[in-house]
Amino acid sequence: MDFLIVLASLCFLMFVAYRGYSVILFAPIAAMGAVLLIDPGMVAPMFTGLFMAKMVDFAKNYFPVFLLGAVFGKVIELSGFSKSIVVWVIGLIGRERAMLAIVLVCAILTYGGISLFVVVFAVYPFAAEMFRQGDIPKRLIPGTIALGAFTVTMDALPGTPQIQNIIPTTFFKTNIYAAPWLGIIGSVFIIVVGLAYLEWQRRKALARQEGYGANLINEPEPFEHEKLAHPLIAILPLIMVGVMNKVFTVVIPMFYGETASFIPAVIGNPAPVVVQIDKIVAIWAVIGALLTGIATVFIFAWRTVVAKFAEGSKTAIAGALLATMNTASEYGFGGVIAALPGFLVLANALGAIPNPLIKQAVTVSALAGITGSASGGMSIALAAMANTFIENANAAGIPLEVLHRVAAMASGGMDTLPHNGAVITLLAVTGLTHRQSYKDIFVITCIKTLAVFVIIGVYYATGIV
């Protein structure tokens, strides 16, 4: 019975998200509803002591990354650099290869540090124009953007500064370049199979003479060419983010050592605040890298950006707050669900999996699906079971870098269920519905999930990391 209550709570949250309601409002309602049915007296204590604690803890750790990522994406947009990059890639690939071009643009922007939420807004107008000219069904745009922005550059490619690749560093004391070869192999698998699927869907639509579509909503104005920055200048801030991320990852531990501490200057005898550098270095490195990228944009496009920065930054901050609170609410929901008796049924079933890497992959993917959030689900899974994963890996002689890459990639698979915030945003921006386009997003999700088990197989077969 307890397990059915947990399942019902999850289904309720998925349903309201599918219907377009905010998870910030309904995640606590769903979580506390489950608690009410199991133990009414614990509703208030679990709301304050667990839901809000988890929610605030997530925001404390990761809001700066969301914020600076959104600001970086906004200044790239205001400067016209994103348009320059899109036009450059389209020129290299050709408009006839619209889907490949959009996938590459999304990948370049997200790997350069721009939030995938920002990329959706930036790329959609160009995708719509290219698909219209190529007579490719508009309903394939969400799946194409998802392949480019929600997969390899989110958590598979080594060095990506997206939050899903940062979270494991705080648990395994690794860095964002962990298991580079496994990440690259998994990325190639996802891109090749994903593009093959999308091309198959395009050919089927062509055979049916389906066309771009009619009576569509949220159609952007046709893209008009204008004088744009040179592509090498446009891409420089993204390169700076990647390079400085690596530099800060190396330099910060050398500068601070193992810990940094200070005594707050307040009345009384406050205890010293001690920061474990190995747990926070990846986040600090990404923050420093994003600040460098923002500064680079200002250096090369000061007048253009400053003229619009006041209003643009408000939009970016609002987007960062919304993305953070959405994910934090789902993290709080998952924390409450994980504390309920019914969750033990799932935990015991997952614990029975003998292989440590498969156990971790299934656990992270399952929790990401439950919460509808890659970062939220992975954070919950690692907070609860990281020590177990590490002990099992040490016993089997598995490097922690492999745990990092498997956890990161597993988080970005089944998290894209209908209630996922990025999916809802993507469909809203493109003016499409779940019924029209979710099937393609789900297939990309399945390919992404399969890739995790591909790299596990490659590791066991070759020992490559």
Side-chain angles (χ1 to χ4, degrees), residues 197-235:
Y197 167 77
L198 291 173
E199 177 63 17
W200 175 50
Q201 291 298 308
R202 186 192 70 81
R203 290 180 181 275
K204 285 173 59 180
L206 180 63
R208 294 193 301 265
Q209 297 183 334
E210 180 178 341
Y212 180 74
N215 300 320
L216 300 169
I217 63 173
N218 284 15
E219 280 295 283
E221 292 294 325
F223 172 65
E224 299 294 338
H225 289 285
E226 57 190 74
K227 186 177 180 181
L228 299 171
H230 191 281
L232 292 180
I233 293 178
I235 205 170

Side-chain angles (χ1 to χ4, degrees), residues 143-402:
T144 304
I145 293 178
L147 178 61
F150 298 1
T151 59
V152 297
T153 53
M154 188 174 85
D155 52 47
L157 276 178
T160 177
Q162 298 296 326
I163 196 74
Q164 293 79 7
N165 191 40
I166 297 172
I167 291 173
T169 64
T170 61
F171 293 94
F172 301 131
K173 299 181 181 179
T174 50
N175 60 51
I176 60 175
Y177 300 91
W181 287 111
L182 291 179
I184 291 171
I185 291 169
S187 298
V188 171
F189 175 85
I190 295 166
I191 292 296
V192 170
V193 179
L195 283 173
Y197 167 77
L198 291 173
E199 177 63 17
W200 175 50
Q201 291 298 308
R202 186 192 70 81
R203 290 180 181 275
K204 285 173 59 180
L206 180 63
R208 294 193 301 265
Q209 297 183 334
E210 180 178 341
Y212 180 74
N215 300 320
L216 300 169
I217 63 173
N218 284 15
E219 280 295 283
E221 292 294 325
F223 172 65
E224 299 294 338
H225 289 285
E226 57 190 74
K227 186 177 180 181
L228 299 171
H230 191 281
L232 292 180
I233 293 178
I235 205 170
L236 180 60
L238 280 68
I239 295 174
M240 289 299 295
V241 169
V243 171
M244 294 310 297
N245 201 346
K246 180 65 174 177
V247 171
F248 285 129
T249 299
V250 174
V251 171
I252 289 174
M254 294 172 59
F255 182 80
Y256 285 103
E258 295 182 359
T259 62
S261 62
F262 62 92
I263 299 177
V266 296
I267 298 173
N269 298 305
V273 177
V274 180
V275 179
Q276 293 291 129
I277 299 302
D278 58 351
K279 293 182 179 180
I280 201 70
V281 61
I283 294 177
W284 285 2
V286 171
I287 290 173
L290 289 171
L291 287 171
T292 305
I294 293 169
T296 304
V297 176
F298 274 101
I299 289 171
F300 285 96
W302 172 264
R303 291 185 179 179
T304 305
V305 175
V306 167
K308 305 174 183 177
F309 187 70
E311 290 301 317
S313 61
K314 292 177 184 177
T315 304
I317 292 168
L321 284 168
L322 182 61
T324 302
M325 294 304 293
N326 271 328
T327 307
S329 293
E330 291 169 340
Y331 186 39
F333 168 81
V336 172
I337 294 301
L340 297 179
F343 185 78
L344 289 176
V345 177
L346 176 61
N348 291 335
L350 295 173
I353 300 174
N355 185 281
L357 293 180
I358 293 178
K359 178 191 295 185
Q360 184 192 47
V362 174
T363 301
V364 171
S365 189
L367 288 177
I370 288 172
T371 60
S373 165
S375 51
M378 175 168 49
S379 296
I380 293 167
L382 295 184
M385 302 181 70
N387 290 336
T388 301
F389 294 149
I390 292 171
E391 290 174 4
N392 294 341
N394 289 337
I398 299 172
L400 296 187
E401 286 190 7
V402 179

Side-chain angles (χ1 to χ4, degrees), residues 34-175:
V35 176
L36 179 66
L37 293 174
I38 294 173
D39 187 352
M42 292 304 295
V43 171
M46 290 194 76
F47 175 73
T48 300
L50 188 55
F51 181 91
M52 289 304 300
K54 291 287 186 181
M55 184 175 179
V56 171
D57 191 51
F58 183 91
K60 178 191 73 174
N61 287 329
Y62 302 113
F63 175 65
V65 177
F66 278 92
L67 176 62
L68 291 176
V71 172
F72 179 59
K74 178 55 67 174
V75 296
I76 286 284
E77 175 191 335
L78 295 178
S79 64
F81 288 1
S82 61
K83 287 185 179 180
S84 177
I85 293 170
V86 170
V87 172
W88 173 58
V89 172
I90 291 172
L92 289 177
I93 302 300
R95 290 187 176 273
E96 67 278 6
R97 298 183 180 88
M99 289 188 292
L100 175 59
I102 294 303
V103 168
L104 288 178
V105 168
C106 290
I108 290 170
L109 295 176
T110 48
Y111 193 72
I114 299 178
S115 166
L116 56 89
F117 289 93
V118 177
V119 167
V120 171
F121 289 95
V123 173
Y124 168 58
F126 303 99
E129 178 68 13
M130 292 182 69
F131 275 52
R132 187 186 298 112
Q133 291 186 15
D135 207 27
I136 302 170
K138 181 185 178 181
R139 63 178 177 82
L140 293 178
I141 290 179
T144 304
I145 293 178
L147 178 61
F150 298 1
T151 59
V152 297
T153 53
M154 188 174 85
D155 52 47
L157 276 178
T160 177
Q162 298 296 326
I163 196 74
Q164 293 79 7
N165 191 40
I166 297 172
I167 291 173
T169 64
T170 61
F171 293 94
F172 301 131
K173 299 181 181 179
T174 50
N175 60 51

